[in-house]
Amino acid sequence: MPGSSATPRRTGRRAVIIGGSMSGLFSAAFLSRIGWDVDVYERSSVELVGRGAGITGHPELLEALEASGAGTAELGIEVPKRIAIDRAGRITDERPLRQILTSWDRLQRLLRATIDEAHYHLGWNFERVDQDARGVRVEFSGGRVEHADILIGGDGIRSSVRGQMAPEVQPVYAGYYIWRGAPNEADLAPETLNSIYPLFTFHLPPRQEVITYPIAGFDNDLRPGHRRFNFIWYRVADAAQMREMCVDEKGVQHEYSVPPPLIRKDLIAGMHKDAHDILPAALLDSVLKIKQPFITPIYDFTAPRIVFGRVAMVGDAAANARPHMGFGMAKAGTDAQALAKALRDHDNIDDALKAYNAERQPIGNTIVMHGRKLGTHMGVNLKTDEDRRMHALLQSDGAMLDWIAVPHFLDAYK
């Protein structure tokens, strides 16, 4: 992609983008750089801020941020190595691996700055799209209608756009979930700060996986003492257990997950009890300092195609992988970059979208399958000899350090 900051020559072509998070913002940034007019429509009526999740700085993500114009200035915190610790807190294995760990908030802010305020629209819920050889007609709740050359579905794993174009493609529950949160650095005990805080840390009880690393504080505050600590704890639960966990504090059944403020107090108390029984002291300190822990059920899906005429899917809406690679944001960026490159290099839009599908649909499915391979560590749904072999390999702390969230993992599939 061109790296110039000069204003691009306008092409007279327009894209409507559904979803105002990373996939939508990356798509808008890259298309703007090749001269397209873009409008982003987000169903939330308020800015998408304060989500706090940690993000692994894969090389592909860093390159996409630079190429999109968002840049990587003060992106996050660099850690020098990763370690695994046992129940007593002793280091069982380690690997030198310099990585930048950033946060959802920081990426959102960098990418949001690339979009003209007049072209980012909050509070618009996608309803349907119709298309013909000339382009798309997009309807929103409230009667708003937009016309464009293409529609981009960047609205995540539960994509409404994909729901219309490929309703048969549904996310599949993986059989496990995550407890997560990001306590403030200032709240952590001195022993936690001196031992695991500066590093990418693993703790691996049977059929569980705990990962922690430092991230920026609120408003991208990188000053020591003002940062946060990303905490992720994978636990096993079958579909019936997960459905019971999706009943909120008021007794309301949620289909997929519960908004953090409504997570039942008995579930949090049970998690804290398990933490006392299972986790080493520094990780116990970390989890008890999370003001509002939340649950993320793990789903994934592959897709037989990601282009439907003049409708193109990007990021998690195209194919969603389990988070073991920490590659979701990198996928959003590289999907959007590839889409813009295809549209730049082909005079015919339909040819461009076919080329995009041919390039990115197989890669998306490869990422999903790699996530399933790493997920065998949890010992759930081991159906094949290869699943069982991989599960056995990943019972080693050293193997987990070598396989989880490492850079350039896609090179093995080239």
Side-chain angles (χ1 to χ4, degrees):
M1 293 297 298
S4 170
S5 59
T7 302
R9 179 177 60 84
R10 308 317 293 174
T11 64
R13 290 175 169 176
R14 179 174 186 242
V16 166
I17 300 169
I18 306 302
S21 186
M22 300 305 170
S23 297
L25 290 174
F26 264 125
S27 297
F30 277 117
L31 288 180
S32 294
R33 291 176 78 79
I34 64 167
W36 279 57
D37 295 315
V38 296
D39 280 275
V40 178
Y41 291 88
E42 165 57 43
R43 65 183 176 185
S44 172
S45 60
V46 297
E47 286 283 359
L48 304 177
V49 295
R51 297 191 172 191
I55 306 296
T56 304
H58 283 279
E60 294 91 338
L61 174 60
L62 304 183
E63 194 277 332
L65 286 168
E66 291 290 354
S68 70
T72 56
E74 296 185 335
L75 183 62
I77 299 171
E78 186 176 278
V79 299
K81 65 179 179 179
R82 47 179 55 192
I83 62 171
I85 59 175
D86 63 15
R87 176 71 172 82
R90 295 172 300 220
I91 295 175
T92 60
D93 214 334
E94 62 181 89
R95 297 287 185 274
L97 181 57
R98 306 191 76 85
Q99 285 184 297
I100 294 176
L101 289 313
T102 185
S103 68
W104 191 97
D105 296 325
R106 179 56 177 158
L107 292 183
Q108 172 78 0
R109 182 167 296 189
L110 286 172
L111 286 164
R112 188 74 172 78
T114 69
I115 309 301
D116 188 325
E117 288 289 334
H119 295 279
Y120 187 91
H121 312 280
L122 292 168
W124 291 101
N125 193 50
F126 168 82
E127 287 199 340
R128 64 171 289 106
V129 58
D130 295 300
Q131 58 179 308
D132 57 26
R134 296 170 297 175
V136 295
R137 178 183 183 276
V138 187
E139 297 181 15
F140 298 88
S141 55
R144 183 167 185 158
V145 174
E146 296 289 343
H147 294 85
D149 294 283
I150 64 173
L151 175 70
I152 297 174
D155 50 341
I157 185 172
R158 306 290 171 190
S159 169
S160 297
V161 178
R162 192 187 68 248
Q164 179 186 336
M165 307 311 300
E168 71 283 1
V169 178
Q170 294 292 328
V172 178
Y173 178 54
Y176 50 93
Y177 67 98
I178 297 172
W179 275 109
R180 69 187 311 167
N184 295 324
E185 177 186 7
D187 295 334
L188 299 175
E191 177 56 30
T192 304
L193 296 173
N194 293 331
S195 60
I196 66 171
Y197 179 81
L199 306 174
F200 197 122
T201 301
F202 290 70
H203 178 56
L204 302 164
R207 303 186 80 197
Q208 299 174 64
E209 182 179 327
V210 183
I211 297 174
T212 63
Y213 52 82
I215 60 174
F218 292 105
D219 295 325
N220 197 49
D221 199 333
L222 293 172
R223 294 175 297 163
H226 297 262
R227 299 166 297 186
R228 289 174 294 173
F229 196 42
N230 195 51
F231 180 95
I232 305 166
W233 186 4
Y234 289 86
R235 309 291 306 273
V236 172
D238 64 25
Q241 290 173 299
M242 179 49 56
R243 181 167 178 79
E244 191 276 331
M245 293 175 71
C246 285
V247 176
D248 71 17
E249 186 72 13
K250 298 179 180 178
V252 176
Q253 177 74 61
H254 295 257
E255 188 171 4
Y256 302 117
S257 62
V258 178
L262 297 178
I263 292 175
R264 298 200 319 269
K265 292 181 178 58
D266 67 292
L267 293 179
I268 296 175
M271 183 268 288
H272 284 170
K273 180 182 182 303
D274 288 347
H276 278 93
D277 294 338
I278 295 169
L279 301 185
L283 293 177
L284 175 61
D285 173 56
S286 303
V287 76
L288 294 179
K289 299 295 175 55
I290 299 172
K291 290 182 170 62
Q292 178 60 71
F294 61 100
I295 297 169
T296 302
I298 304 303
Y299 291 83
D300 69 7
F301 70 89
T302 57
R305 57 179 174 143
I306 60 173
V307 168
F308 307 86
R310 288 293 184 93
V311 178
M313 313 302 298
V314 297
D316 287 346
N320 180 262
R322 303 178 192 183
H324 303 288
M325 299 84 68
F327 202 72
M329 301 306 165
K331 181 180 184 297
T334 49
D335 278 358
Q337 188 174 17
L339 176 59
K341 182 178 184 298
L343 290 166
R344 183 195 67 189
D345 293 347
H346 292 78
D347 292 331
N348 181 279
I349 291 175
D350 297 299
D351 289 344
L353 294 180
K354 290 175 183 175
Y356 167 68
N357 185 88
E359 177 184 352
R360 295 303 298 181
Q361 182 269 345
I363 292 174
N365 286 352
T366 294
I367 295 168
V368 174
M369 299 311 292
H370 189 74
R372 291 177 182 174
K373 179 183 291 188
L374 301 188
T376 61
H377 167 80
M378 301 296 294
V380 176
N381 296 325
L382 304 178
K383 297 179 179 178
T384 68
D385 288 343
E386 176 59 20
D387 289 343
R388 289 181 282 274
R389 186 196 70 79
M390 196 69 198
H391 169 72
L393 171 66
L394 294 178
Q395 300 316 294
S396 156
D397 287 2
M400 290 291 280
L401 296 181
D402 289 335
W403 282 80
I404 299 294
V406 294
H408 306 298
F409 71 88
L410 281 173
D411 289 352
Y413 295 93
K414 292 180 180 178

